Amino acid sequence: MSLNDVWEAAAGNPFYPVISKERQFTVGFILLFTAFILTGLFGLNRSLKSIPLFAVPASLAFGFGAVYMICAVGVYV
């Protein structure tokens, strides 16, 4: 199978993302808000136990939320 055959086969099968363009702003806002709340909770209770409970989910939510928000407002990196 050549690259041209793969290209032609893919033309009839478009990509549909899990999170649509219309929902990216909502998902990004919810993730950033969740990150803000979890960061506040981590700041109130700074212990070794709260790192996997608050800090790791907060950083993941902020990272993915920032990417979704950047894509939602039209800044593509």
Side-chain angles (χ1 to χ4, degrees), residues 38-39 41-43 45-60:
L38 289 173
T39 302
L41 291 173
F42 177 69
N45 185 14
R46 293 178 64 177
S47 67
L48 190 60
K49 181 180 160 186
S50 68
I51 290 175
L53 195 62
F54 297 126
V56 173
S59 64
L60 289 171

Side-chain angles (χ1 to χ4, degrees), residues 17-40:
V18 177
I19 308 293
S20 67
K21 179 70 176 158
E22 293 79 26
R23 295 284 179 203
Q24 285 180 355
F25 185 83
T26 306
V27 170
F29 182 79
I30 290 171
L31 286 171
L32 288 174
F33 184 73
T34 303
F36 179 73
I37 297 298
L38 289 173
T39 302

